[in-house]
């Protein structure tokens, strides 16, 4: 991002200052529902891609580590890493295999990941490369029942998992990925069409009993396994969360996190657009709310403290690994902010954004391949903005609330309050009105004469929560437009691979240090279309 954006932004603010300004009321109390766990911004990494993302003992992936540590340094807690996805249910273990993973891609099943996979003992080296992180390991339920090699994989890998992730590295366990699709999977069913909740529960209880037995035998000092489950793909799938739970999924009281998966739409679904699908508050709200309704139908309320906490164990923008021109754009970064903070506001305690090598919606490409170059992608910057909104929440927890902005579906705002003091900490506002600067909005060929970029004013009534005349720090998430795939900064920082291997680098041609003042109980900020801003009301950006 260069001087063009800097000059343009100043002109936009001047133009917007004379426009009528609506004022929005900021909640004055802590939203108990919206109190996320530490490490709220977390990741799910495709099982077959994990060795590329993390590296191994000989060659750790420093780039991935730097990007993850950036988020951890801001949040106060490192992201939690779920290793899983479709390919965990294709992986068979070969104790004599020297390579960490050997995979075969069948384009008729999936062009994006292997569906025939063997892993060797070296696979588990990847868990050693990111010190200070916690992991879950995805165990194979898909092939673990109807193939002897699948069951033997469970028997042989559980000891490797518990030994590798001892000493505080174990987050939780996961047995099976999206078992609700086993009978109807587009990549090839691994169960008959009669597959139902009762069959699933029987196999789940049998498998988890074996996992517990192996842990007690090989890792006697480790606690009995606890799980994230049921890890279902969609609320419209043949198997239902409610019926599964009521039929005895948690009969052994070993599910510590209620994990559900979500994608806003599909990469090839008709009518999917950046503005109408991703940069749209109403679409995201409806998608997330459906999961809350399903959870509440089981446990009575998202506030039920006896129920396992609700998380997104896997999620991202568009299933089937995303679409170029949508999932890899700056608009998807804005979507990611809205999705994560809205999820936090309605009771989700942690969100694992999914990614894999060459995936279009990923936050970063960990290695060079014949399909994609190593680098930081637009969605990463959205994760950084969310982390900054929740910053230091490990030592000073916050509560997240949605601030209603009327009927405009292309805008969203969120307030965070310190849980203990109930003091207003920050406001994050997102202007999701599209602004494109490239041909067909694909982020590649620039338009010769792009339209003028509008700016909109947002005024927030903070009342007695902030002292009159108090100063407010503004940190902006900016790019040339919603279709941009490069040139993105948060508060003037770049995290690009080519600058310093993903470490933060301050760009000096971007405005930073911007301040606002509380006047008549209100603070006002001007946002160019397709941008976001974080307002901080505490000293030194606590």
């Amino acid at each position: 991002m260069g001087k063009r954006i800097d000059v343009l932004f100043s002109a936009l603010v001047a133009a917007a200052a004379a426009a009528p300004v609506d004022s929005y009321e900021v909640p004055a109390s802590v939203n108990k529902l919206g109190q996320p766990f530490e490490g709220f911004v977390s990741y799910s990494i495709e099982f077959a891609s994990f060795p590329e993302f993390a590296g191994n003992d000989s060659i750790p992936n420093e780039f991935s580590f730097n990007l993850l540590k950036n988020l951890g340094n801001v949040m106060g807690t490192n992201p939690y890493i779920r290793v899983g996805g479709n390919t965990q249910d294709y992986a068979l273990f070969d104790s004599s295999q020297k390579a960490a993973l050997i995979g075969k891609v069948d384009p008729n099943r999936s062009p994006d990941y292997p569906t025939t996979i063997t892993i060797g003992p070296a696979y588990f080296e990847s868990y050693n490369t990111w010190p200070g992180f916690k992991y879950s390991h995805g165990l194979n339920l898909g092939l673990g029942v109807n193939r002897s090699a699948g069951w033997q994989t469970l028997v042989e890998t559980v000891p490797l998992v518990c030994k590798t992730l001892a000493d505080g590295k174990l987050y939780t366990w996961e047995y099976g990925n999206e078992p609700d699709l086993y009978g109807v999977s587009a990549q090839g069913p691994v169960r008959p069409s009669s597959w139902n909740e009762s069959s699933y529960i029987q196999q789940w209880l049998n498998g988890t009993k074996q996992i517990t037995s192996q842990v007690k035998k090989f890792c006697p000092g480790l606690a009995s396994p606890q799980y994230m489950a049921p890890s279902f793909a969609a609320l419209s799938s043949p198997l239902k969360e409610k019926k599964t739970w009521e039929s005895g999924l948690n009969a052994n009281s070993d599910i510590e996190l209620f994990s559900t998966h979500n994608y806003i739409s599909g990469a090839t679904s008709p009518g999917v657009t950046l503005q109408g699908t991703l940069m749209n508050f109403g679409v995201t709200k409806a998608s997330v709310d459906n999961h809350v309704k399903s959870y509440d139908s089981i446990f009575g309320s998202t506030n039920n403290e006896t129920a396992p906490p609700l998380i997104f164990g896997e999620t991202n923008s568009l299933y089937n690994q995303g679409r170029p021109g949508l999932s890899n754009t700056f608009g998807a970064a804005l979507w990611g902010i809205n999705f994560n903070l809205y999820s936090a506001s309605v009771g989700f305690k942690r969100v694992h954004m999914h990614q894999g090598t060459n995936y279009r919606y990923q936050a970063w490409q960990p290695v060079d391949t014949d399909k994609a170059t190593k680098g930081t992608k637009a969605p990463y910057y959205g994760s950084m903005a969310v982390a900054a909104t929740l910053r230091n929440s490990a030592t000073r927890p916050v509560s997240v609330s949605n601030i209603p902005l009327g009927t405009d579906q292309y805008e969203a705002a969120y307030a965070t309050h310190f849980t203990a003091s109930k003091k207003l900490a920050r406001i994050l506002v997102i202007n999701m009105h599209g602004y494109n600067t490239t041909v067909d909005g694909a982020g590649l060929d620039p338009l010769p004469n792009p339209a003028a970029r509008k700016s909109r004013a947002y005024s927030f009534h903070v009342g007695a929560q902030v002292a009159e005349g108090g100063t407010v720090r503004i940190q902006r998430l900016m790019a040339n437009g919603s279709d941009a795939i490069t040139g993105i900064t948060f508060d003037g920082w770049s995290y690009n691979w080519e600058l310093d291997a993903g470490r933060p680098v301050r760009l000096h041609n971007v405005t930073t240090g911007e301040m606002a003042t509380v006047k008549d109980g209100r603070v006002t900020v001007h946002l160019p279309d397709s941008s976001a801003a974080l307002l901080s009301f505490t000293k030194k950006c606590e």
Side-chain angles (χ1 to χ4, degrees), residues 40 118 134 162 190 199 220 266 284 361 376 417 463 468:
F40 176 82
T118 56
K134 292 181 181 294
C162 70
V190 293
S199 302
T284 294
Y361 52 49
T376 312
H417 289 75
E468 183 71 11

Side-chain angles (χ1 to χ4, degrees), residues 434-491:
Y435 178 72
N436 293 339
T437 61
T438 60
V439 177
D440 298 326
L444 297 175
D445 301 323
L447 287 168
N449 296 297
R453 191 173 188 175
K454 295 180 180 179
S455 184
R456 302 167 199 269
Y458 300 85
S459 183
F460 298 96
H461 185 262
V462 295
Q465 299 184 68
V466 181
E468 183 71 11
T471 55
V472 182
R473 182 185 180 189
I474 301 175
Q475 297 170 284
R476 295 184 181 273
L477 181 67
M478 292 290 294
N480 278 335
S482 53
D483 54 349
I485 57 176
T486 60
I488 302 162
T489 59
F490 177 66
D491 193 34

Side-chain angles (χ1 to χ4, degrees), residues 110-128:
S110 173
D112 292 314
Y113 51 75
T115 50
T116 301
I117 299 170
T118 56
I119 62 172
Y123 182 92
F124 297 89
E125 287 186 14
S126 296
Y127 286 113
N128 300 328

